[in-house]
Amino acid sequence: MNPAVPALALGALGLVDAAFSGFRAYAGRDARIRKHRAVTRAALRGLAVGAAALLAPALTAGCVLLAADDRARAYAVLADGAIGYLAPLALYAAAVLLSLAAYFVLPFRASTLAVVVGLGPLTLLRPVVVGIACLGAFAGGGPASLLVGAVAGLAVLYVEPFVHRRWYAEALTADRSLRPPRQR
């Protein structure tokens, strides 16, 4: 396997997670019925923040490679760590995709149950899964991989709170006169 494949897969997972994080930062804060454009905007905001945040682990990996005496060996170690980091995240992503498939395929009540039983707990488990992925990175590649994995985990977990605070901390209402005054 090409050693770049796990890194590309992790980057793709991180970007998809960032888009979902943007959606979660927005979800439940808007009472309008038709909000496709707002949902898309929220996902794009999460994607943009996530793309910028994912530069941190890439820069960390670059610094690890530049500081290494044997760059080929350091690259192989980071690739092994990336595989260890990817395994728990791939299982988590498969469970999320299964829940999403149930949401879109099942009838209304069953799909609602799938969201409550599947996606809700899975969202709460994200930090735990990232922690397990960090352990996988350490087991696969040692301290250097743990460093890159921890930075990646922090970057991924940073997106939702940032998007929420930046764009959705206030209540969303169609009529601006109904918004509560800003507190200073």
Side-chain angles (χ1 to χ4, degrees), residues 64 73-86 133-149:
V64 167
R73 169 125 175 83
Y75 188 80
V77 165
L78 288 178
D80 291 342
I83 292 171
Y85 196 81
L86 180 62
C134 287
L135 293 176
F138 182 71
S145 295
L146 175 62
L147 174 67
V148 175

Side-chain angles (χ1 to χ4, degrees), residues 6 9 15-16 20 27 41 60 81-82 86 89 93 96 110 161-163 168:
L15 291 175
V16 170
F20 279 114
R41 186 178 335 118
T60 304
L86 180 62
L89 294 180
V96 169
F162 179 82
V163 171
Y168 304 112

